[in-house]
Amino acid sequence: MNRQKSYGQGNPELAAYVEDLFQPTDTTLAKFADRSREAGLPEIQVGAMDGRHLEILSRLVRPQRAVEIGTLGGYSGLCIARGMAPGGKLYMFEKSEHHAAVARENLSGAKESGELKVEFEIISGAAIENLANIENEGPFDFVFIDADKQGYPAYLEWAVTHLRVGGVVIGDNTFAWGEVHRTAEKSGRDLAMVGAIHEFNRRVAQHPLLRGTIFPTAEGLTVGVKIHEL
Ligand SMILES: C[S@@+](CC[C@H](N)C(=O)[O-])C[C@H]1O[C@@H](n2cnc3c(N)ncnc32)[C@H](O)[C@@H]1O
């Protein structure tokens, strides 16, 4: 278990209790993480309990059409896919060709073994340049954002436009490593990153088409539900 991404807000004993009780990592997820590490990918996939949170949120929504922005080796994608309606499709955006290739290999293996029951498509390249290519497949039920932090506000606007009412948009790392409330003290690259995450949270909180919150996971998981059309 990656204790740096442990469940909760700072009590390691409670985190260990929850992780030991719920056992969020199974052999398939462990294989995804191992294969990604062997292929040289950075170990920046969602924490194990956040993978479980994504699966639970996905099971609640039961998406037919879901979008993931920032795929890495496919770990969080598998968690989302597990909650999707049979026959659904997950559109995955990943800037790095290498990360996309590893994710494709991991997910294809899960499909062959019958573990993955939905279709998936990995679109490599910068997400903001490619999202327009799937707009005709919408509206979408579920959008998970976990790529470049500066892009979060733009990804949010895309999601709100292309979600159905009742659909959800989720952003990871939205406590900005414990710094999100300190934008006034930031400058340069730090301000660009932390400020963009703050702007994302602000828009989810104040958007007239959304009802939102930040679930207090270790890294902050912002969730907005679309409650109206324009
Ligand atoms: C934190 S990792 C994603 C982890 C993944 N969601 C998981 O939990 O298994 C962020 C990923 O976003 C990708 N990325 C960065 N900038 C991007 C962009 N502009 N468009 C699409 N993907 C991007 C990175 O290459 C990296 O693989």
Side-chain angles (χ1 to χ4, degrees):
M1 196 71 66
N2 181 345
R3 296 287 178 201
Q4 284 187 324
K5 287 178 175 263
S6 287
Y7 174 82
Q9 284 293 299
N11 181 332
E13 289 176 8
L14 272 182
Y17 165 81
V18 174
E19 288 161 357
D20 292 346
L21 184 64
F22 285 92
Q23 295 287 318
T25 307
D26 52 46
T27 49
T28 310
L29 285 169
K31 238 192 263 169
F32 272 42
D34 289 348
R35 173 69 197 112
S36 299
R37 189 182 317 108
E38 284 158 18
L41 270 53
E43 291 186 62
I44 52 173
Q45 68 269 18
V46 293
M49 280 306 296
D50 285 333
R52 176 61 61 86
H53 296 143
L54 287 173
E55 177 182 336
I56 295 296
L57 289 167
S58 179
R59 285 189 186 278
L60 289 168
V61 176
R62 225 46 193 151
Q64 274 285 346
R65 287 173 297 263
V67 176
E68 176 179 76
I69 303 175
T71 287
L72 195 68
Y75 186 102
S76 57
L78 178 64
C79 297
I80 294 165
R82 284 176 167 170
M84 292 177 67
K89 181 161 177 180
L90 175 58
Y91 297 88
M92 309 170 87
F93 292 85
E94 172 49 59
K95 186 174 183 179
S96 154
E97 292 279 356
H98 179 51
H99 296 182
V102 174
R104 214 169 272 123
E105 187 190 315
N106 278 335
L107 291 159
S108 300
K111 194 133 179 50
E112 273 160 34
S113 69
E115 172 93 13
L116 178 64
K117 295 183 176 23
V118 299
E119 298 302 315
F120 71 92
E121 181 177 345
I122 304 177
I123 298 135
S124 54
I128 204 70
E129 289 163 19
N130 290 318
L131 282 163
N133 296 333
I134 63 160
E135 285 170 4
N136 286 343
E137 310 298 327
F140 298 93
D141 308 300
F142 192 99
V143 177
F144 176 52
I145 301 169
D146 192 20
D148 56 306
K149 305 310 163 200
Q150 287 92 327
Y152 273 37
Y155 300 143
L156 176 69
E157 293 309 320
W158 185 90
V160 176
T161 305
H162 297 285
L163 279 172
R164 67 164 165 85
V165 171
V168 298
V169 54
I170 302 170
D172 193 27
N173 309 110
T174 52
F175 287 149
W177 310 276
E179 299 288 317
V180 74
H181 55 303
R182 296 213 177 99
T183 50
E185 300 159 29
K186 302 282 164 198
S187 63
R189 187 169 175 271
D190 274 3
L191 181 60
M193 297 257 277
V194 176
I197 294 176
H198 165 63
E199 180 58 17
F200 173 85
N201 288 334
R202 189 194 68 73
R203 290 188 195 184
V204 173
Q206 297 176 0
H207 204 296
L209 302 185
L210 294 176
R211 178 79 82 209
T213 187
I214 305 181
F215 286 126
T217 60
E219 302 196 88
L221 197 66
T222 298
V223 179
V225 181
K226 185 164 174 178
I227 54 171
H228 301 294
E229 285 296 354
L230 257 185

